Amino acid sequence: MDFFLVDVKSITPSVPFEQVDKTQVEKLADSILECNGLLKPLVLQPTGPESYVVINGNKEYYAALQARAKDPRKAEMVNAFVIAPKTKG
């Protein structure tokens, strides 16, 4: 598992937005802007070259999207642990 800064636009959630608490997402988005980033990194798995799916942190992902909508320059990238795909061997 490696630590990266990942562009929010290259991430796909694994849980629909309807299943997350909108109030928590909004509060977390404000926190992201205030702290200049996520305090709890996302856990992602690559789905292609520069594309990822959320393994853990869907609420944080949606908050990052909301923060990016409020201030694109401050919330373009998110902290993430990227799990390397399993290799057959």
Side-chain angles (χ1 to χ4, degrees), residues 13-60:
S14 56
V15 170
F17 183 66
E18 295 77 28
Q19 293 183 11
V20 296
D21 183 322
K22 281 49 164 192
T23 304
Q24 288 183 353
V25 167
E26 188 64 32
K27 288 179 184 178
L28 188 53
D30 291 337
S31 175
I32 289 168
L33 292 172
E34 189 176 307
C35 298
N36 294 316
L38 283 170
L39 298 177
K40 178 184 171 192
L42 302 176
V43 178
L44 307 174
Q45 184 170 26
T47 56
E50 300 302 318
S51 61
Y52 306 89
V53 66
V54 177
I55 301 298
N56 189 310
N58 283 286
K59 178 177 60 177
E60 290 80 1

Side-chain angles (χ1 to χ4, degrees), residues 33 64-76:
L33 292 172
L65 281 182
Q66 182 68 19
R68 187 171 189 273
K70 291 180 177 189
D71 189 342
R73 291 183 300 145
K74 273 190 163 182
E76 184 175 8

